Amino acid sequence: MDEAQVHAHLYHPELPDPDLLIRTAGEQRISNFLLWQVSYAEIHVCEACWPDFRKQHLHAAFRDFGQRKRKFGRVES
């Protein structure tokens, strides 16, 4: 089994992997959500619970994401 075979059997393999994962309620874990797909995603933690998540929270996540330097697993010295 190789990476391509695993990817082919994921839920909606035709979709690209997410660049940003937004966690609500202050949770700092991914809870087995899209484990394979979020390996290089940036994680933004929002204190608001999902029912209270609003446009301003989404904009804050986008601002945070825009300020990050993405390394995709590389280690920089």
Side-chain angles (χ1 to χ4, degrees):
M1 180 163 267
D2 63 9
E3 185 175 338
Q5 289 174 314
V6 171
H7 184 79
H9 289 87
L10 295 175
Y11 188 69
H12 287 296
E14 70 280 4
L15 296 176
D17 292 342
D19 291 318
L20 175 63
L21 172 65
I22 301 172
R23 274 306 309 237
T24 57
E27 294 294 338
Q28 296 187 17
R29 56 190 168 79
I30 53 176
S31 303
N32 296 330
F33 179 72
L34 298 174
L35 284 177
W36 184 271
Q37 297 94 322
V38 298
S39 60
Y40 295 121
E42 297 294 322
I43 300 174
H44 174 81
V45 177
C46 175
E47 292 298 321
C49 293
W50 177 244
D52 301 321
F53 191 84
R54 298 290 182 262
K55 188 186 300 185
Q56 68 265 21
H57 298 111
L58 182 61
H59 288 177
F62 288 161
R63 281 191 302 275
D64 180 34
F65 178 77
Q67 295 174 357
R68 297 188 186 190
K69 182 177 181 184
R70 304 213 45 215
K71 297 183 277 185
F72 299 96
R74 292 185 310 270
V75 177
E76 297 180 4
S77 52

